[in-house]
Amino acid sequence: GVMEKLGLGPEVLLKENPGLIYARLTGFGQMGKYAKSAGHDINYLALSGVLSKLGRKDENPYAPVNLLADFAGGGVMCAMGIVIALYERARSGRGQIIDASMVEGVAYLSSFLWKSDNLGLWSRPRGENLLDSGAPFYETYRTSDGKFMAVGALEPQFYKQLIKGLGLDSDEFPTQMSISDWPEMKKKFASIFAQKTQAEWCSIFDSTDACVTPVLSLDDVASHQHNKERSSFIKNDQGEISPRPAPLLSRTPAVPSCKRDPFIGEHTEEILLEYGFTKQEIAKLYSDKAIEFNKPKANL
C-alpha cells in the first residue's frame, strides 16, 4: 500500500501507460492474512515450509543467512517475473502487475522438496536424511588446520573414490547406504579428515571424481585456481573483490565496472539537477529529509 499512498499505485500508472510492467516485491504478497505485516527472510522462509527442512539433527531449524527468501525467492524470482512479462508484452503490447511474494518465491524455488517427498528422501527426521547432513558422504569435515572440506559423493562410483582417497578399504567398511551405520561412519570420516590440512586433502582429491572440494572463505575464493582460470571474481579500483556477473552469455556478456560502488546519496544532487530540479528545491528536499547526500572526501 505504500505506492498507493503516494498516488503511484499500479492502476494509476497503468492507466497512463498500459504497456507498463509493474513489479511488487514483498515478503507475504499483496493479499492474505499477513500481507500488511512486517517480516524478514527468516519469517518468509518459515511460512514457506522450507525452514522446517533446514538444520542438523536434534537442533532448531536453521536459516542460512538471508539468501533464500530475500535474494533467491524474492529478488531473482521477481526478476524472472519481469522477464516473463516483457516476453509476453512483445506479443500483446500490454503490461501487467507482478505480485512477487518471497514466501511463494522460495517455496516454488524449493519445489524439489515436495516433488521428491514420495521418493523417501525426507522420510527420516531433519538432519538424518541423504541431503541434510545425515549421510557421511554428503557433509563438511574439519581439517587439521581448522579449515573444512565439502564432501558430496552421492553416486556409488564417486563414493568409491572417496573411500579410496581416505585410505579406507571398502571391503572392511559398511556399505554406502547402510543408514544405521551412518553416525559411526561420519565419526570415522571426521577423524581421518582431521589428520591432514585442507591443502593436503586438495592434493589428494583434486584430480578425482570423489566430489570433495575445499570450503573456501570469501578471502580465498578469488585466488583458487579454478576461479582464477574462469575470472569468476573481479577486483574494483579499491581492491575490493566481488563475484563477476553470472551467468556468462556467449554473445553479449556483461561488462563489469571496476569502479567502487557509489556511496548512498553520492549522486543525488547531480541526478536531480539533470531532471530539472532547482538547487532550492533540492535543498528543501534535503531539509525535509526526503533525500540524502554523501559526498566523498577529497584525497588532498
Side-chain angles (χ1 to χ4, degrees):
V2 173
M3 296 302 282
E4 280 81 358
K5 289 176 184 175
L6 297 172
L8 298 172
E11 290 77 12
V12 174
L13 297 189
L14 280 164
K15 214 175 271 183
E16 184 78 20
N17 177 7
L20 182 69
I21 292 162
Y22 194 112
R24 313 199 79 167
L25 175 56
T26 58
F28 298 113
Q30 294 299 313
M31 58 174 291
K33 180 178 179 179
Y34 289 173
K36 294 187 182 298
S37 299
H40 278 294
D41 182 283
I42 194 169
N43 306 116
Y44 316 138
L45 202 56
L47 205 64
S48 73
V50 176
L51 184 57
S52 71
K53 294 294 186 185
L54 306 179
R56 292 186 173 275
K57 180 181 178 181
D58 299 327
E59 293 185 8
N60 296 352
Y62 177 74
V65 201
N66 65 324
L67 298 175
L68 276 183
D70 280 353
F71 297 109
V76 173
M77 296 298 278
C78 183
M80 187 171 76
I82 293 169
V83 170
I84 292 169
L86 284 166
Y87 184 75
E88 192 281 334
R89 189 178 69 180
R91 299 180 176 187
S92 68
R94 297 171 60 200
Q96 56 186 309
I97 303 164
I98 298 164
D99 180 0
S101 154
M102 294 186 198
V103 173
E104 294 162 3
V106 74
Y108 186 55
L109 193 71
S110 309
S111 295
F112 168 67
L113 295 175
W114 282 267
K115 300 295 185 182
S116 62
D117 196 42
N118 61 356
L119 301 178
L121 279 179
W122 316 108
S123 57
R124 299 176 66 82
R126 182 178 61 250
E128 295 184 20
N129 299 283
L130 186 69
L131 300 175
D132 64 0
S133 80
F137 47 86
Y138 204 83
E139 177 61 289
T140 57
Y141 293 98
R142 184 184 290 269
T143 58
S144 63
D145 54 348
K147 297 181 180 180
F148 295 89
M149 298 298 289
V151 177
L154 290 172
E155 290 78 3
Q157 66 272 28
F158 302 154
Y159 179 74
K160 187 176 179 181
Q161 294 192 48
L162 167 66
I163 294 299
K164 181 182 177 183
L166 291 175
L168 295 168
D169 187 341
S170 57
D171 294 331
E172 299 175 3
F173 208 63
T175 59
Q176 180 180 6
M177 297 309 294
S178 178
I179 295 175
S180 61
D181 290 309
W182 279 1
E184 285 305 313
M185 291 166 70
K186 191 179 286 193
K187 288 179 184 176
K188 182 66 174 176
F189 286 4
S191 68
I192 294 174
F193 271 107
Q195 293 170 18
K196 288 182 172 63
T197 65
Q198 186 187 72
E200 288 172 327
W201 284 120
C202 286
S203 68
I204 291 171
F205 285 113
D206 271 2
S207 59
T208 75
D209 278 336
C211 301
V212 179
T213 49
V215 178
L216 300 174
S217 70
L218 297 191
D219 292 330
D220 297 335
V221 71
S223 59
H224 188 274
Q225 184 180 352
H226 176 80
N227 295 332
K228 282 172 67 176
E229 288 173 0
R230 286 186 55 83
S231 302
S232 300
F233 294 84
I234 56 177
K235 191 179 286 189
N236 68 13
D237 54 11
Q238 306 289 304
E240 298 166 335
I241 293 171
S242 61
R244 183 196 64 201
L248 192 60
L249 304 185
S250 64
R251 188 169 53 80
T252 58
V255 181
S257 169
C258 288
K259 294 181 179 178
R260 63 161 174 80
D261 292 342
F263 301 127
I264 294 174
E266 182 176 346
H267 304 112
T268 302
E269 184 177 13
E270 179 183 336
I271 291 169
L272 290 177
L273 286 169
E274 279 182 20
Y275 274 88
F277 285 80
T278 65
K279 289 209 174 237
Q280 291 75 20
E281 288 171 328
I282 294 171
K284 179 69 166 58
L285 287 170
Y286 179 70
S287 66
D288 290 342
K289 297 186 177 178
I291 60 173
E292 189 174 334
F293 291 147
N294 190 339
K295 291 288 184 185
K297 294 178 181 176
N299 296 317
L300 299 176

